[in-house]
Amino acid sequence: MARNEVKLEKMGDFFDVRSSTYDEYMLSHVSDSKFFYKDMAQLIPKSSSINLLDLGCGTGLELEEILKINKSISVTGIDLSSAMLYKLKEKFSEKLYKISLIK
């Protein structure tokens, strides 16, 4: 590899390494993220027949707010990071019957 070449990191690997600190970082260092997740959840229609596709679901930061508002929603989450999906499963262990995850 030439001196000025940068080796690209796979995106899934990037998030795997950061999964243990991701939530804390997003909630404390990303401006207005707490408000964003709440506001975004308000945009989803409230209905018993909603199926939500969450691309890049990560640890489920958005899902926390969505599931507070719409308790009957079904979610399919897709992410490239096994570690992020593991964190999501831990966080929502009692709600996994309504969440399908795909890596």
Side-chain angles (χ1 to χ4, degrees):
M1 181 166 34
R3 238 175 60 182
N4 61 351
E5 279 187 53
V6 175
K7 185 176 180 199
L8 297 178
E9 184 177 11
K10 291 183 179 180
M11 190 177 294
D13 295 343
F14 175 88
F15 284 104
D16 280 345
V17 169
R18 290 153 181 85
S19 66
S20 63
T21 58
Y22 182 80
D23 284 9
E24 179 187 343
Y25 179 82
M26 291 301 290
L27 294 173
S28 62
H29 292 92
V30 176
S31 176
D32 295 331
S33 64
K34 292 177 188 176
F35 300 110
F36 169 75
Y37 297 132
K38 288 180 181 182
D39 291 346
M40 186 265 319
Q42 295 289 332
L43 298 173
I44 298 171
K46 290 149 191 74
S47 169
S48 61
S49 61
I50 294 287
N51 295 310
L52 177 74
L53 177 61
D54 187 352
L55 299 174
C57 60
T59 63
L61 285 170
E62 299 88 357
L63 291 181
E64 288 183 58
E65 297 301 326
I66 293 168
L67 292 171
K68 283 180 193 174
I69 293 170
N70 193 334
K71 298 184 184 337
S72 61
I73 197 166
S74 295
V75 178
T76 299
I78 300 176
D79 204 277
L80 295 171
S81 168
S82 297
M84 297 289 260
L85 291 173
Y86 181 79
K87 289 293 219 185
L88 189 152
K89 286 179 188 178
E90 283 184 324
K91 194 185 300 184
F92 297 100
S93 62
E94 295 180 13
K95 297 179 182 178
L96 288 178
Y97 65 93
K98 60 173 67 184
I99 302 172
S100 299
L101 298 174
I102 301 169
K103 178 181 185 271

